[in-house]
Every structure is written in C-alpha cells, then in structure tokens.
Amino acid sequence: SIKLSTMTKVVLVSTSATSLQGHDTGLWIEELAAPYYEFKKAGYEVVIASPAGGPIPIDKNSMGEGFFTDAAKKFMHDGEAVGELCHSTKLDSIDFASVDAIFCCGGHGTCVDFHDNATLKSAIESMYAADKVVSAVCHGPMALPQCNKPDGTPLIAGKVVAGFKDSEEVAVALQDKVPFMLESKMKELGAKYESADDWNSKCCVDGKLVTGQNPQSSEACAAAVISILS
C-alpha cells in the first residue's frame, strides 16, 4: 500500500559554504530557525537541505549579541532541529515535484554556493514554472539572478523583490568579497527592487515569489509563504 503524504512540504535551503574569500561565514541561523518554527507550527513537513548535504555551517556572528534571536536560541537547544541541521538533505536528491514551497535562507555562505548552482537554479525554475512558492530572504536571493522564467527571460525581471541592500553590504564591509551586490544585480536584471531602511524588516510578495531584505525580514517572509499556502 502506498501512503500518500498530504502534508504541505517546504524545503529550507541553506548554504554549505564555510568561507567567502577568507571571511568565515555560513548560514545566518535566524533565517533558518524563524521560518522552521513558523512552518512547523503551521503543520508543514519541513526539510532542511543544502548543496553539499550533511552538516550546515553556522556563521558565528549570527549567534552574537543582538542577532541571536529567541527562535535561533530555541533552535540551538532543540535536539531534533540541530540533528536535521547536522544531517541536511543533499539538494540534488530532492524531488521538487513533491514540494509546495522552497525557502532560501541567507548568510554570506550563499555568496559562494547559491549564485552559480545548477541544481538550485533548476529547483527554483521548476517550482516557479509549476506555480509553486519560491521564497528567499537576505542573501538567500543570491540564488535568483541565475534563474529564468520558462520563456527564457530573467525570473525576477518585472517582479517586485527585496534582498540584502547594497548599503547593508557596505555596512558589514563585505562589498569587495561578494560575487555581486544583490540590490544592484536585481535592478540590472529588471526587477522592481524595494527596500526598508537598513536592518528593518521588508518582505515583498509578487504572485508566489516571496523575498525579504535582511535577517529582520525572515518571520515576515515565512508568514507570507504560509498565507499563500493557506
């Protein structure tokens, strides 16, 4: 007997990269932890995935004073959650036909293994083409510029989007380390980029594309995804 899962399934994609041109980095833990609990609370099946599979590195700065949120603290003390983080599913082993939403978490590690990643590109493009939810927060949208709509034009062209702001990148002094400045790249590709003041929450929803500016936007993005799936 084949058991068909009727649970809504969300894949949280995190970076596998530990270093960006000599800068220690990884996942910004809040951007995984907050959506993880929001989606669990909504009753969804949540899969934590990464390009390499296995343990996901955490940017130590995301556990620093002022950044280590309640959701992040809860996650780090949650044996099941940490277990999933240590044994993440390899991205290319996931059948995205069975997935309802993809959520790309940030952290500067994404500037290494999201922006030029054929597996992630294919996953996002197939989700978009199937009219499913594509979401990304902070540096998670680094995955989007490489993606195209089924007609071959840039996926974000003409779309209202948010993502890590150029002024925020300069504030953390990594403007010379990243492969491209996200805000500038989104605008260059014809996206309608919107933002709030630095380090303030901004979530954009355009159809089933949900994007957020920074760590402060992750809960708003998760809520927007849930609202679309409800």
Side-chain angles (χ1 to χ4, degrees), residues 70-84:
D70 289 344
K73 288 174 188 167
K74 177 180 174 185
F75 191 96
M76 295 312 292
H77 288 101
D78 179 340
E80 187 184 340
V82 171
E84 289 172 40

Side-chain angles (χ1 to χ4, degrees), residues 95-118:
D95 171 15
F96 278 91
S98 69
V99 176
D100 299 288
I102 186 170
F103 190 104
C104 297
C105 310
H108 275 90
T110 61
C111 302
V112 177
D113 63 0
F114 271 27
H115 68 96
D116 183 18
N117 184 315

Side-chain angles (χ1 to χ4, degrees), residues 6-186:
T6 51
M7 272 175 94
T8 299
K9 186 174 180 178
V10 179
V11 174
L12 291 171
V13 187
S14 295
T15 180
S16 298
T18 57
S19 173
L20 171 66
Q21 296 197 44
H23 170 79
D24 284 351
T25 184
L27 163 72
W28 199 263
I29 185 64
E30 202 278 334
E31 296 163 21
L32 175 79
Y36 176 88
Y37 287 117
E38 294 298 320
F39 294 149
K40 286 271 189 189
K41 198 163 70 185
Y44 301 166
E45 178 187 348
V46 180
V47 177
I48 296 177
S50 64
I56 290 171
I58 298 169
D59 188 320
K60 65 180 184 297
N61 296 313
S62 68
M63 294 188 281
E65 189 59 44
F67 295 109
F68 201 29
T69 62
D70 289 344
K73 288 174 188 167
K74 177 180 174 185
F75 191 96
M76 295 312 292
H77 288 101
D78 179 340
E80 187 184 340
V82 171
E84 289 172 40
L85 191 78
C86 293
H87 302 275
S88 70
T89 304
K90 197 163 187 284
L91 199 56
D92 65 11
S93 71
I94 295 173
D95 171 15
F96 278 91
S98 69
V99 176
D100 299 288
I102 186 170
F103 190 104
C104 297
C105 310
H108 275 90
T110 61
C111 302
V112 177
D113 63 0
F114 271 27
H115 68 96
D116 183 18
N117 184 315
T119 306
L120 188 51
K121 170 180 158 76
S122 158
I124 291 170
E125 288 176 348
S126 67
M127 293 288 288
Y128 180 88
D131 196 34
K132 291 173 172 182
V133 178
V134 172
S135 48
V137 69
C138 194
H139 279 94
M142 290 294 290
L144 299 176
Q146 66 187 331
C147 300
N148 294 319
K149 299 184 177 90
D151 68 6
T153 59
L155 189 145
I156 57 175
K159 298 280 185 189
V160 178
V161 296
F164 204 60
K165 243 176 131 168
D166 289 1
S167 53
E168 290 172 322
E169 200 66 83
V170 172
V172 297
L174 289 170
Q175 69 273 20
D176 297 328
K177 302 265 188 186
V178 296
F180 51 77
M181 297 286 269
L182 187 52
E183 172 187 347
S184 297
K185 176 65 81 175
M186 288 176 136

Side-chain angles (χ1 to χ4, degrees), residues 162-219:
F164 204 60
K165 243 176 131 168
D166 289 1
S167 53
E168 290 172 322
E169 200 66 83
V170 172
V172 297
L174 289 170
Q175 69 273 20
D176 297 328
K177 302 265 188 186
V178 296
F180 51 77
M181 297 286 269
L182 187 52
E183 172 187 347
S184 297
K185 176 65 81 175
M186 288 176 136
K187 289 175 173 171
E188 187 189 309
L189 291 171
K192 299 172 187 166
Y193 179 89
E194 293 185 356
S195 63
D197 290 340
D198 291 9
W199 318 117
N200 282 272
S201 174
K202 176 69 180 179
C203 170
C204 291
V205 180
D206 191 329
K208 292 185 181 174
L209 178 67
V210 177
T211 46
Q213 179 177 324
N214 47 29
Q216 290 74 19
S217 314
S218 55
E219 285 187 3

